[in-house]
Amino acid sequence: MAAPTEADCIFCKIVAGDIPATVVRETERTVAFRDINPQAPTHVLVIPKAHYPNAGALAAAEPELAAALLTEAAEVAAEEKIAESGYRLIFNTGAGAGQTVFHAHVHLLGGERFHEGLV
Ligand code: 5GP
Ligand code: ZN
């Protein structure tokens, strides 16, 4: 059973409105906001409001909510007008893979020349 929030989690604080973020879409169970350190012309993070440490844990506990991250990412891509030019979705899992915030999130990366320098 996952905790719905975690006290020292920066993304839980964004969900609660305690830390400001540039929110581009919000649903009852998800929030999408611009990454503070963008790595592409469009760089949005889509997160569940509930706290799970990573995407796998989220999918194991709430598969429909994990799927909602993907559909929300697609909606953001359409709104950002990058659906046709293409975009990349990335889930970093574990510090060794570059995960720095241990609240499940998917990176939506797109826009002109976004792929240069990325895997
Ligand atoms: P990770 O490396 O864990 O996959 O991705 C975490 C992402 O969260 C990073 O790209 C980082 O720039 C972003 N980030 C960290 N703190 C904040 C914040 O306070 N606000 C926003 N908008 N993004 C943040
Ligand atoms: Zn959290």
Side-chain angles (χ1 to χ4, degrees):
M1 184 89 176
T5 62
E6 195 160 276
D8 287 329
C9 172
I10 197 160
F11 286 178
C12 284
K13 288 178 180 166
I14 286 175
V15 169
D18 294 341
I19 290 177
T22 305
V23 173
V24 296
R25 270 183 73 84
E26 182 169 6
T27 68
E28 196 180 323
R29 305 187 73 200
T30 67
V31 188
F33 54 92
R34 297 199 190 282
D35 196 292
I36 204 167
N37 182 24
Q39 304 297 311
T42 293
H43 187 171
V44 171
L45 302 171
V46 186
I47 71 169
K49 289 182 177 176
H51 181 94
Y52 293 97
N54 57 52
L58 165 64
E62 297 200 55
E64 287 179 16
L65 185 52
L69 287 199
L70 301 183
T71 53
E72 277 302 300
E75 291 288 347
V76 172
E79 289 183 7
E80 297 283 317
K81 314 249 184 277
I82 57 169
E84 286 189 16
S85 58
Y87 57 88
R88 189 168 295 184
L89 301 178
I90 296 175
F91 293 92
N92 294 325
T93 299
Q99 187 178 5
T100 58
V101 178
F102 292 85
H103 180 129
H105 56 277
V106 60
H107 294 258
L108 165 63
L109 295 155
E112 192 182 353
R113 299 170 66 174
F114 79 95
H115 58 284
E116 291 179 9
L118 295 174
V119 174

